[in-house]
Amino acid sequence: MESTMSHAVVTGRSLRTVAAGAFVLAVLAGIAEAILAVTSIAGTTGLGGGVLVQVAVRGAVFATALTCAWYLARGRRWAWWALLLGLGGAGLASMLVPMAAALADGASWSTVFDAGTSPLFPAVRALHILSVLVGVTVMLHPGVRASLGRIQG
């Protein structure tokens, strides 16, 4: 007897969309982190030129990451590589290496997750890291790689 329930088919294209969505969520978490950090800094020491430069750099990185996620969802191989190396490599390392070094030096988890910045910051940072890990993991699925366009575009 045939089932009347439809079965979801997981395709490389649908997995690309999931990976792209995870990267968008990571960027949104990064934006939330920046807002929390800038708000904290503004309330304690004021906004100097260094903070504004950091905001501009992060804004450029976030815009680039969102653009790459959009193109990944559309099957662009170059976007796959950009996200893998950019967010999955350099971006993740920029968050995890200092955290690991601080833990190795005896810092507490609260300190490592910048809980002093805002009570929300640790949760937002964890979401940021987890979203990148999910995006990279899904993106590495063979179906995603097979679904990427042959022509760079």
Side-chain angles (χ1 to χ4, degrees):
M1 183 171 177
E2 211 174 300
S3 172
T4 57
M5 293 180 65
S6 65
H7 297 283
V9 177
V10 177
T11 64
R13 184 177 181 181
S14 63
L15 288 173
R16 274 194 337 251
T17 302
V18 170
F23 287 122
V24 168
L25 184 57
V27 169
L28 293 175
I31 291 168
E33 283 179 24
I35 290 168
L36 291 170
V38 169
T39 302
S40 175
I41 292 167
T44 57
T45 61
L47 297 178
V51 174
L52 299 178
V53 169
Q54 282 289 324
V55 168
V57 168
R58 289 175 193 270
V61 169
F62 295 151
T64 301
L66 288 174
T67 300
C68 289
W70 191 82
Y71 279 108
L72 172 65
R74 281 142 189 81
R76 300 299 194 268
R77 189 172 300 278
W78 65 264
W80 185 94
W81 279 107
L83 288 166
L84 179 66
L85 299 174
L87 293 186
L92 201 53
S94 74
M95 287 189 288
L96 295 181
V97 170
M99 292 171 75
L103 285 171
D105 285 342
S108 69
W109 281 99
S110 176
T111 300
V112 168
F113 272 93
D114 288 330
T117 301
S118 163
L120 295 175
F121 196 89
V124 175
R125 172 57 58 99
L127 176 63
H128 189 167
I129 292 168
L130 182 61
S131 298
V132 172
L133 290 172
V134 167
V136 168
T137 301
V138 173
M139 195 172 68
L140 291 173
H141 186 279
V144 172
R145 295 201 59 193
S147 75
L148 297 173
R150 300 255 182 244
I151 299 173
Q152 305 250 344

